[in-house]
Structures are given as structure tokens and as C-alpha cells.
Amino acid sequence: MTQHHPADRIVVLTGAGISRESGLETFRDADGLWSRHNIADVCTPEGFRRDPMLVDRFYNGRRAELAGVQPNAAHLALAELERAAHDGRWNGELLIVTQNIDDLHERAGSHNVLHMHGELRRVRCTSCGATPEWLGDCLPDTPCPACHRPTLRPDVVWFGEVPLHMDRIETALAGCDRFVTIGTSGTVYPAAGFVAQVRDHAETVDINLDPPQVPTLFDRTLIGPATRMVPQWVIELLGA
Ligand code: APR
């Protein structure tokens, strides 16, 4: 009995740029989050120890913004590609590895999603390890719903911390036929190192408003807004 082997195993790595047209800010664009907030204050464990109220307010603000936005055509196109794999229109397999902490991929209908930098709509208890879903505000004295201790923090991976799901991500990268980056500046590791890791065995494609920092790492670059370029790329795949 022969095992079914999808002809096209694709790993898509997404960054803040895919959610920009939904109304969520990126980090490093001119008007991005890091132009107004200090990374050391709001995106490190040391910053959280120094001023947990400042950090909680930062993520509370982003959580409130997330409640007011919707997935866009780029998120929807990737969800459509996953559906096409399930219903046999496409002989492939899609895994989305996202650096984003928003839930727009899932809200668009994608299921095969790994959040390597955590999730904004979860908090984590540093006492009991619970990671409850969290849609509203969380403050330093907010009790954990499981152990009732006031030791909750955003369930986000900060600089200096180890990203999540790295074993599954490494396995998928080792076995992929195509690797596609969408809306990421390629400046933060380990994600920024994935393309060099797969170049020997996978086609590499970058989709972004701007050309990649190291164009030689990519076999193809699709320059333009994600809401236009991602649906075009998916139509091409499904048409092929
Ligand atoms: N369509 C396509 N690409 C876009 C769009 C758009 N509409 N708008 C912006 N971009 C691109 C920018 O050109 C840039 O290359 O998205 C990229 C956003 O880059 P960053 O702001 O650096 O975001 P990202 O790469 O996701 O950051 C990585 O850094 O701050 C940390 O943990 C945070 O996960 C984040 C990580």
C-alpha cells in the first residue's frame, strides 16, 4: 500500500505586513510600533519585571485594537489554499508559521497555524502555567483563573526568550518543497534564518511591499501589497 505524499509541501512564514491592511501596525515601518514604544520596556522579560503595568497596558491596547479589525484578502487566500488541500482541488499541504500574535489567520479559516511568538488573545500564569484565552484587559493584580494568584503575563515570546513550536517548525522546514515569506522584514531570528536553511531543497519566494534585504536568498520576489499579491499567488498555485 503506497502512502499518500502531497506533491507540494509548503511552509508559509508570515509577519506583521500581512495584517497591515487589516489595520494592525507593523513594528519597523516608519510609523511602526517600535517608532513609538521602546522594545526593552515592552518586549523583554526584564522590562516586564521593571514595570508590569506599562507592559500590560501595551498589550491591552493591542488586544483592544485586534477586536476592531478583520482578516483581509491575504489571510482569506491562505485559508482557501488550506481548504483546497482538504477537498482535493490541490495536491499539496500548507503550514502557516506566523510571527504574528494576532488571530487573523484563524479568523480567516486557517487551522494549520503555528504561532512561534505566542498569541495576544492568551495570557500565561507564571505560577501554575495555565494559558487561558483572554480577550479583555489584564493588569498586574488580575488573578489567574486557575490558581487565583496575581501572576499573569501576556502569552507572548519576548526578546531573549525561546520561540514556541520550534521542533514542529524545524521538521516542516526540513521537508518542505516551497518556502514563502509574506510581510516580514527578515530581521528577527530564528525566523529570519529559515530561508537560508531551506534553500538547498525548496523553492523560496518572498511577498512584500519592498524587496528583501538579501534578494539572493529568494528564487522569486512578488513586490506589492499582501492583499493583492497573496491571492494572485494562490490562484496561480491552484491553476497550475
Ligand atoms: N503588504 C506586504 N508587506 C507589507 C505590507 C503590506 N501591506 N505592509 C508592510 N509590509 C512589510 C514591510 O515592508 C516589512 O518588510 O512587512 C514587513 C514588516 O516588518 P516588521 O515590522 O519588522 O515585522 P515582522 O517582520 O513581522 O517582525 C518580526 O519582530 O518585533 C518583533 O516579535 C515581533 O514578530 C515580530 C518580529
Side-chain angles (χ1 to χ4, degrees):
M1 189 172 73
T2 56
Q3 198 191 7
H4 167 64
H5 193 294
D8 209 350
R9 291 162 300 170
I10 302 185
V11 174
V12 165
L13 173 71
T14 63
I18 197 171
S19 298
R20 184 74 192 86
E21 294 161 270
S22 290
L24 296 181
E25 296 170 272
T26 63
F27 297 94
R28 291 172 188 80
D29 287 326
D31 57 350
L33 284 166
W34 297 151
S35 70
R36 295 192 315 284
H37 299 276
N38 181 331
I39 290 182
D41 290 343
V42 297
C43 207
T44 65
E46 298 77 21
F48 186 65
R49 272 194 293 279
R50 242 188 345 263
D51 191 343
M53 183 64 89
L54 176 77
V55 175
D56 279 342
R57 285 210 175 111
F58 174 69
Y59 290 98
N60 290 345
R62 294 181 64 195
R63 214 173 281 123
E65 267 173 20
L66 180 55
V69 302
Q70 297 300 327
N72 61 48
H75 300 106
L76 294 166
L78 293 176
E80 172 60 12
L81 185 58
E82 184 187 296
R83 262 193 305 279
H86 282 155
D87 64 23
R89 281 176 290 136
W90 174 56
N91 180 15
E93 195 178 84
L94 173 66
L95 171 67
I96 299 174
V97 175
T98 188
Q99 299 168 87
N100 300 344
I101 59 176
D102 67 54
D103 62 344
L104 297 180
H105 283 303
E106 289 86 349
R107 279 201 260 154
S110 290
H111 300 92
N112 214 7
V113 183
L114 294 177
H115 287 266
M116 69 182 292
H117 292 166
E119 297 177 64
L120 187 52
R121 286 188 155 180
R122 279 189 189 286
V123 291
R124 185 182 336 143
C125 177
T126 56
S127 301
C128 74
T131 54
E133 187 185 33
W134 205 272
L135 303 182
D137 284 357
C138 182
L139 294 171
D141 59 359
T142 302
C144 165
C147 73
H148 312 298
R149 278 172 277 192
T151 49
L152 294 173
R153 58 160 279 179
D155 191 20
V156 168
V157 177
W158 289 323
F159 285 92
E161 297 184 322
V162 180
L164 306 173
H165 313 298
M166 286 309 293
D167 291 349
R168 288 181 60 192
I169 293 170
E170 295 291 351
T171 305
L173 291 171
C176 70
D177 303 299
R178 290 184 218 240
F179 176 74
V180 181
T181 55
I182 303 174
T184 182
S185 58
T187 47
V188 174
Y189 285 77
F194 293 166
V195 61
Q197 238 177 280
V198 302
R199 265 192 67 64
D200 63 342
H201 60 268
E203 183 205 18
T204 56
V205 180
D206 184 52
I207 303 178
N208 197 302
L209 278 180
D210 300 328
Q213 294 194 26
V214 190
T216 49
L217 285 171
F218 292 95
D219 300 306
R220 235 176 128 198
T221 56
L222 304 176
I223 307 287
T227 55
R228 179 154 52 84
M229 306 316 288
V230 177
Q232 267 180 26
W233 173 70
V234 169
I235 288 165
E236 186 194 297
L237 265 183
L238 294 182

